[in-house]
């Protein structure tokens, strides 16, 4: 087998189990295919996701199910006003038997960390988590401790309750690769949820629900390598730049996407194109991921908010106004 043929075989071998992942998650989580795809893109791009949705739409179950299908470790951390940075990263604990301080790992030492209601904890603790997300290590007393190779944070926010919260500033929101909205299920999907619970479905017992491992960290790493090789033509690169620049001059936005937003759009477009079965990116790939990649990197003007304009609606108009390469 030639080198090129081997690369194609490896790519296909990695893509197939990651496609099966979405079907496996659907056994426990109904009607959230686009959110599952977003989490998978984040895993492929080594990025983090911000999940926004009302309580009870299976955000925790989704992350646990993705971890089970990939045979990865997952932890959930409930963010509260009294949470301290050491509760997130870990801290030195005195051991009376050895008369020494020993480091005790915090919950960030995992593969998938669900940071539940991240906006309910003060900025000091938020910053500790965001530093870990960027550096992918914890440093205590000058000693760096690396996190696992596969590590993403899925942070949640409740969009309908802001009392007693500490909203993330734009500079920190920009650290998330994607912001995914977790919608309420439609009538048929909600009926399916009730039928499953009536039949004995227990969200705490995924094995009983039939969820099994369908991919591994090795498949994920092979997918990451394949995504890195995805080709992007210069006109498509220019299209990404033009979209981000258009957000900066839009009259509805007082803050547009930063250059980090453009590089994030490049990463997510490559992952989307690869999952679609191609080794190159098309303008349609860019359009598919643009809203999730940019919606948290822009800020509406107050007058636009008063008029009931939404961020996604403005991004839609931006995408419609920027000519796509042929």
């Amino acid at each position: 087998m030639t080198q090129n043929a081997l690369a194609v075989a490896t790519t296909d071998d990695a893509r197939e189990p990651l496609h099966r992942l979405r079907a496996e998650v659907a056994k426990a989580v109904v009607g959230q295919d686009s959110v599952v795809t977003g989490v998978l893109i984040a895993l492929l791009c080594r990025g983090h996701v911000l999940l926004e949705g009302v309580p009870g739409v299976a955000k925790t179950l989704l992350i646990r199910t993705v971890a089970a299908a990939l045979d990865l470790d997952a932890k959930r951390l409930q963010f509260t006003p009294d949470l301290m940075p050491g509760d997130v990263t870990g801290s030195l604990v005195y051991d009376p038997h050895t008369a020494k301080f020993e480091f005790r790992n915090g919950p960030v030492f995992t593969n998938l960390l669900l940071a539940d209601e991240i906006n309910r904890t003060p900025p000091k603790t938020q910053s500790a988590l965001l530093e870990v997300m960027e550096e992918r290590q914890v440093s205590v007393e000058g000693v760096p401790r690396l996190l696992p190779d596969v590590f993403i944070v899925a942070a949640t926010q409740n969009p309908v309750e802001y009392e007693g919260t500490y909203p993330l500033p734009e500079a920190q929101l920009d650290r998330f690769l994607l912001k995914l909205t977790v919608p309420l299920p439609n009538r048929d999907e909600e009926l399916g949820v009730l039928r499953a619970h009536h039949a004995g479905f227990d969200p705490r017992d995924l094995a009983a629900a039939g969820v099994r491992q369908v991919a591994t960290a090795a498949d994920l790493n092979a997918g990451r390598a394949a995504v890195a090789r995805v080709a992007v033509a210069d006109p498509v690169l220019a299209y990404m730049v033009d979209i981000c620049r258009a957000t900066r001059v839009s009259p509805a936005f007082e803050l547009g996407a930063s250059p980090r937003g453009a590089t994030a759009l490049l990463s997510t477009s490559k992952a989307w194109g690869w999952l679609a079965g191609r080794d190159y990116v098309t303008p349609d790939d860019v359009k598919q991921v643009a809203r999730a990649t940019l919606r948290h990197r822009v800020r509406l003007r107050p007058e636009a908010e008063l008029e009931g304009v939404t961020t996604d609606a403005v991004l839609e108009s931006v995408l419609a106004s920027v000519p796509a390469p042929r």
Side-chain angles (χ1 to χ4, degrees):
M1 184 179 290
T2 66
Q3 183 96 10
N4 288 341
L6 181 60
V8 171
T10 303
T11 296
D12 290 339
D13 290 345
R15 189 186 286 120
E16 183 182 347
L18 294 179
H19 275 303
R20 290 199 301 267
L21 172 75
R22 289 183 281 195
E24 202 65 23
V25 174
K27 292 180 180 178
V29 182
V30 177
Q32 302 293 0
D33 291 346
S34 62
V35 182
V36 175
T37 301
V39 173
L40 182 53
I41 287 174
L43 284 163
L44 287 169
C45 298
R46 299 178 185 269
H48 308 284
V49 294
L50 187 62
L51 303 173
E52 188 169 271
V54 299
V57 288
K59 297 186 289 292
T60 301
L61 178 61
L62 185 147
I63 297 302
R64 289 182 55 242
T65 309
V66 168
L70 281 168
D71 193 27
L72 297 175
D73 183 47
K75 289 187 174 70
R76 174 180 175 275
L77 182 60
Q78 183 67 49
F79 279 71
T80 56
D82 60 347
L83 198 72
M84 298 298 291
D87 299 327
V88 177
T89 61
S91 57
L92 293 173
V93 178
Y94 181 74
D95 186 347
H97 299 291
T98 61
K100 294 181 179 178
F101 284 93
E102 296 182 357
F103 182 75
R104 183 173 296 170
N105 286 350
V108 293
F109 287 88
T110 187
N111 300 124
L112 277 74
L113 176 67
L114 181 68
D116 211 359
E117 296 188 294
I118 188 175
N119 56 337
R120 289 204 173 277
T121 201
K124 183 177 182 179
T125 306
Q126 290 175 356
S127 297
L129 176 64
L130 291 163
E131 182 181 2
V132 170
M133 289 163 53
E134 186 69 18
E135 303 298 334
R136 296 184 178 271
Q137 67 179 26
V138 172
S139 294
V140 177
E141 297 294 325
V143 179
R145 294 171 172 83
L146 296 178
L147 297 179
D149 179 56
V150 177
F151 169 71
I152 74 164
V153 172
T156 72
Q157 285 191 154
N158 182 345
V160 296
E161 187 180 1
Y162 292 104
E163 187 174 348
T165 63
Y166 304 84
L168 290 171
E170 282 71 18
Q172 293 183 351
L173 285 171
D174 206 32
R175 300 288 181 179
F176 288 92
L177 181 71
L178 297 166
K179 180 182 179 182
L180 306 173
T181 56
V182 186
L184 289 165
N186 62 35
R187 184 180 184 277
D188 290 340
E189 291 166 347
E190 194 165 0
L191 185 58
V193 171
L194 263 63
R195 284 174 175 158
H197 279 263
H198 179 59
F201 170 70
D202 182 357
R204 290 170 291 275
D205 189 355
L206 295 176
V211 176
R212 59 189 178 87
Q213 177 191 340
V214 295
T216 64
D219 295 319
L220 195 57
N221 285 330
R224 288 171 169 178
V227 167
R229 294 193 297 268
V230 170
V232 188
D234 273 351
V236 179
L237 287 174
Y239 180 53
M240 297 177 190
V241 170
D242 289 342
I243 289 172
C244 291
R245 293 181 69 84
T247 65
R248 299 171 202 161
V249 298
S250 170
F253 288 143
E254 65 178 7
L255 178 69
S258 68
R260 184 187 286 124
T263 59
L265 188 57
L266 171 63
S267 298
T268 56
S269 298
K270 290 171 69 173
W272 182 278
W274 180 76
L275 286 171
R278 285 177 274 99
D279 59 357
Y280 59 91
V281 173
T282 69
D284 283 341
D285 296 331
V286 180
K287 291 179 181 178
Q288 288 291 339
V289 297
R291 284 171 291 278
T293 308
L294 301 178
R295 61 166 60 108
H296 55 300
R297 305 174 193 274
V298 295
R299 185 171 63 202
L300 285 170
R301 293 188 183 277
E303 53 269 31
E305 288 189 274
L306 288 173
E307 292 172 3
V309 176
T310 65
T311 298
D312 278 10
V314 180
L315 286 174
E316 197 68 48
S317 67
V318 166
L319 291 172
S321 68
V322 177
R326 296 181 180 274

